[in-house]
Amino acid sequence: MKKKLRIESILLLCAILAIAVYALIALFPADKPESPIDTVDTPDTSVIEYGHPDLLANNAGPLWTYIRYPQAGDFADSVILDWVQATYDEAKADLDALLDKDASAQGEVNIQFDSYLIDGRFVGIVEQGMISTTGLAHPADVIKTFNLDIESKTFLENSDILDMSKREEILTLLKEKILLISPDAQDYFDNMATDEWLDYITIGHEGIIVILERGVGLPAYYGSLRINLPYDELGDALLLYGETASAPDTAQEPTSKPAPSSTPESVAPSLPPQDGGIDPLRPMIALTFDDGPSKHTSRILDLLEQYKGHATFFVIGNLIESRPDTIKRAADLGCEVVGHSWDHRDLTKLSSDEMKAEILDTHNAIESITGSSSHMYRPPYGAVNDSLTNASSELGFSIINWSVDTVDWKTKNADAVYTAVMADVNDRAIILCHDLYSTTAEAMEQVIPALVSQGYQLVTVSELLEYSGGAVEAGKVYYNGNK
Ligand code: ZN
């Protein structure tokens, strides 16, 4: 009797286990698609054909912020900027509410853009990214599109671009395109409401790009999708060119190319230049510039060339393609170009594989332009934790932070940047600036001659560490030449 009971108990236990295993398999099916179309048509490299990238930054926390947006000196600037500010303010208000309950709360905002210029007249802008706070289980997606007609200086509504009375036809085309990439998507269509499918559209070169938010069109694990609806397949659902004009010439190349680096004036410097060689007995500092390349980088390079100084540029991976000439010129002048991550995410929040991709992809993109690059990088916000130092160590990269912070992203004032540098500069310092701001470039017109006249040698980070003795170690964080 006792034995029978035990057998029954074991059988019951087996049954419970079997149900549990079955439930787990049902929850996490082995054949779950691995986001098969997540990356389709989503550029890895920022496409910037309209405007230059400007940044709303908060590098001081607790809401680390990197919102990149285009400014073109045109009618759309203030509207775009208003949206950026409102998006930041909302995230800030949410975090402030969290901070009232938990003083250790923190957050991150990371939003970037692509801008397409079509036929020199139409502009499509996609702002996309995420807001993450310690109060949220998952980061919240952010998507916003702006569509412009720069000829008439007007914003285009979605209903100016597509004839929304033909909504069903457009959705049929959209579903067709999704199925081409992911045939099993049909299973989901029946259960997905289509209300939000055309909320975010933008004008692209080959067609109208539909941006599907995560969880719209397909289950959330597919991520956010960008689907191209070719102009010639939209038929009379396309309103963009009015009744008379034909669809844009899809073969046309983007008209906006990075401006060639300006030729620096060969004016003799008013102060004695360095002769190129580094004297280890004389003071030296490393000027460093993050978040570029930008249209202001050339102005800083002109000054470095004029004063025969070197600096280190920590560039954003997805911006490299937008200004290869600037990067090449910096390297040719003896400056150091190294990475500041691919997309300026807080690396400490990523998996080890994602950290490594952020570091290596950026490094490789630089190397493809300059031929070589040092095995070092600067993490966004200077944020470091053990898993990041471990990943860096495994890759053989050292981490470069700073000892003097100019806070130029906050003051955006040339005199303030000059004062910040001159107040704190000391032998072997690593000075943090951002070549994204015109005010920083302007400040360098005072800073660089002043440092040279005080006897500082302007060297790269590699040179600073080399002349400060000792091998540079992988996985180690450096703040200045004195370590
Ligand atoms: Zn940065």
Side-chain angles (χ1 to χ4, degrees), residues 50 52-57 67-89 125 127 144 146 148 155 412 437:
Y50 172 80
H52 70 88
D54 217 328
L55 189 65
L56 190 149
I67 307 179
R68 207 157 74 197
Y69 57 96
Q71 293 285 278
D74 204 355
F75 71 102
D77 285 5
S78 61
V79 175
I80 296 169
L81 186 55
D82 285 350
W83 175 82
V84 168
Q85 190 63 50
T87 304
Y88 173 78
D89 289 347
I125 299 166
E127 292 275 350
K144 173 73 180 172
F146 298 96
L148 322 176
F155 282 87
K412 292 191 184 170
Y437 305 109

Side-chain angles (χ1 to χ4, degrees), residues 357-414:
E358 289 268 351
I359 298 164
L360 274 186
D361 289 352
T362 310
H363 176 81
N364 293 340
I366 296 164
E367 221 170 51
S368 73
I369 294 170
T370 62
S372 71
S373 178
S374 311
H375 284 206
M376 55 174 60
Y377 73 98
R378 173 173 290 159
Y381 313 107
V384 177
N385 64 0
D386 286 348
S387 29
L388 187 60
T389 54
N390 288 339
S392 306
S393 175
E394 283 168 33
L395 291 179
F397 278 66
S398 22
I399 298 167
I400 309 300
N401 276 341
W402 58 86
S403 58
V404 175
D405 186 353
T406 60
V407 210
D408 57 342
W409 58 273
K410 198 174 190 177
T411 56
K412 292 191 184 170
N413 176 293

Side-chain angles (χ1 to χ4, degrees), residues 168-209:
E168 285 311 312
E169 293 164 38
I170 300 165
L171 285 177
T172 303
L173 179 63
L174 178 57
K175 286 177 180 175
E176 250 173 53
K177 296 299 170 192
I178 296 174
L179 285 172
L180 280 180
I181 311 157
S182 180
D184 61 347
Q186 183 69 56
D187 302 344
Y188 303 110
F189 287 160
D190 302 335
N191 304 321
M192 291 275 177
T194 56
D195 310 359
E196 299 166 297
W197 286 35
L198 299 177
D199 280 0
Y200 303 109
I201 64 172
T202 199
I203 309 164
H205 285 284
E206 271 91 47
I208 300 299
I209 301 167

Side-chain angles (χ1 to χ4, degrees), residues 59 66 290-291 316 340 344 379-381 434:
N59 292 332
Y66 182 93
D290 291 10
D291 293 356
I316 302 294
H340 186 41
H344 213 277
Y381 313 107
H434 297 80

